[in-house]
Amino acid sequence: MTLRLYDTASRTIRDFEPVTPGHVSIYLCGATPQTYPHIGHVRSGVAFDILRRWCLAKGNDVAFVRNITDIDDKILTKAAENGRPWWEWVSTFEREFTKAYNMLGVLPPSVEPRATGHVTQMVEYIQRIIDEGYAYAAEGNVYFDLAKWSKDPKGDYGCLSGQKIDDMEEGDSAGTGKHSHLDFALWKAAKPGEPSWPTPWGPGRPGWHIECSVMSTTYLGAEFDIHCGGLDLQFPHHENEIAQAHGAGDGFAHYWLHNGWVTMSGEKMSKSLGNTLSIPNMLEKVRPVELRYYLGSANYRSMLEYSEEALQEAAVGYRRIEAFLQRVVSRTGSEPQITTWTDAFERALDDDLGVPAALAEIHTQVRAGNAALESGDQQRAHEIAGNVRAMADVLGIDPLSEQWRDNSTSTSTRAMEALDVLVGAELDRRAAARAEKNWAVADEVRDRLNEAGIVITDTAAGPEWSLQEEK
């Protein structure tokens, strides 16, 4: 089967063919750490972690680059407002983003470059664009000459977003001396109180867009496979990245993937709307793996409408998988090893990372596995559990993985372990009563457990209990 991906640039689903067979190169626009991360920030991390895991699972070597924009207008503004050095401010929240990614089981990138660590490469790259005739210096700034690029036969501005230059009204507002208000800054002249670096055009700092053009090509080469990011970055950020890279003579990304937003009441989650949900706050509602399940449950291109009900439904869905695997371990006395996924699962993910269909297949297998347990076919249940683990592993939600075994120390898991001891004692009492044909006591135990929200199921291997699902 062939992986097919929706390419924003061509607006079609295309067969994925890497530049180098067997090697997949991916660049993801990472965080601009100016505040605590919320679920809207980290959705792209989860979505494209699944892409990476699927490419790895299919036998590819994957180079995955996720940058950190650690110098930016917003960072400087926030730091100044709070009376803190900009470098301390950004470092503080960079750690918070790293913590959030780790808690959600997002694999660490192959490399995580910072913009400030690549100023030398940026200066060289800007000079290449100037030498090609598509950028110019003015009063310590350097601008991309959009009008000249658009008139060039190679010029393709708008190829990603569909924007037309004639319809544009605003450009980057940095500095003066522009040929046109549409031209955007590659380099910004130094301002009092701001950090700066020496360049042939005078001291200053990089423009936002040049950072990613440089960091992606520095680590992945002049041409690479996939460039990812949030839908809000499509224009102007990614459009300007393409102009810079093509203007410098680089082939740049072959595929462009954009994830949808997390929304509340139909609006993009953001600080300005006052509707952000921080990762620590979310983890008071569900476990980290359940939050990951939720964030990755929709197709990456879809908008994910947040609600407490949807979050809890996702948590219940994960617990069904977890409970099945735990039953298999308990019944068979051995842990199922990861084997392989089903054809239906592979078809789902190969179809533009169709996670909803992939999750549906996992739950189909879970139901089949539970049925096998009920019929006493432990060998078949064990085999199915290996398939379930393989599929869950690709999505980063395998309950028996080392990552999520750590949840056993959580308060909720300790509570479940304590409850298991108490319920087990009651089930022993019920079993003794039934052996003595004392049906009144047996029924009393069952009814009391039911009133407490505990469902008893009598199986060939003995009674099992589970918590009632919320209506």
Side-chain angles (χ1 to χ4, degrees), residues 89-124:
W89 188 262
V90 73
S91 296
T92 297
F93 294 109
E94 178 186 334
R95 289 191 293 272
E96 293 297 325
F97 271 84
T98 299
K99 184 191 303 182
Y101 289 133
N102 290 341
M103 291 184 75
L104 296 181
V106 174
L107 297 173
S110 306
V111 64
E112 193 167 29
R114 293 167 181 79
T116 55
H118 297 76
V119 172
T120 298
Q121 291 94 329
M122 291 180 204
V123 171
E124 292 173 350

Side-chain angles (χ1 to χ4, degrees), residues 250-326:
D250 289 342
F252 212 48
H254 286 205
Y255 299 79
W256 287 85
L257 273 61
H258 292 91
N259 65 277
W261 301 326
V262 177
T263 59
M264 292 181 70
S265 302
E267 295 183 276
K268 177 176 178 282
M269 187 172 292
S270 66
K271 279 287 185 185
S272 61
L273 293 175
N275 58 10
T276 56
L277 291 172
S278 69
I279 301 302
N281 181 54
M282 296 295 290
L283 295 182
E284 291 180 2
K285 305 174 187 291
V286 293
R287 292 178 292 168
V289 64
E290 292 165 348
L291 179 56
R292 179 189 171 101
Y293 183 106
Y294 169 68
L295 291 175
S297 60
N299 182 274
Y300 73 95
R301 290 195 286 128
S302 302
M303 298 299 176
L304 183 62
E305 177 71 10
Y306 174 79
S307 70
E308 182 71 24
E309 294 76 14
L311 177 65
Q312 293 302 329
E313 286 176 8
V316 169
Y318 171 78
R319 291 169 197 162
R320 290 195 187 102
I321 302 170
E322 182 180 44
F324 164 63
L325 293 175
Q326 289 174 345

Side-chain angles (χ1 to χ4, degrees), residues 127-136 145 148-149 247:
Q127 188 61 56
R128 284 172 55 192
I129 300 172
I130 292 174
D131 292 344
E132 291 291 332
Y134 303 119
Y136 59 93
D145 194 331
K148 189 169 183 179
W149 175 245

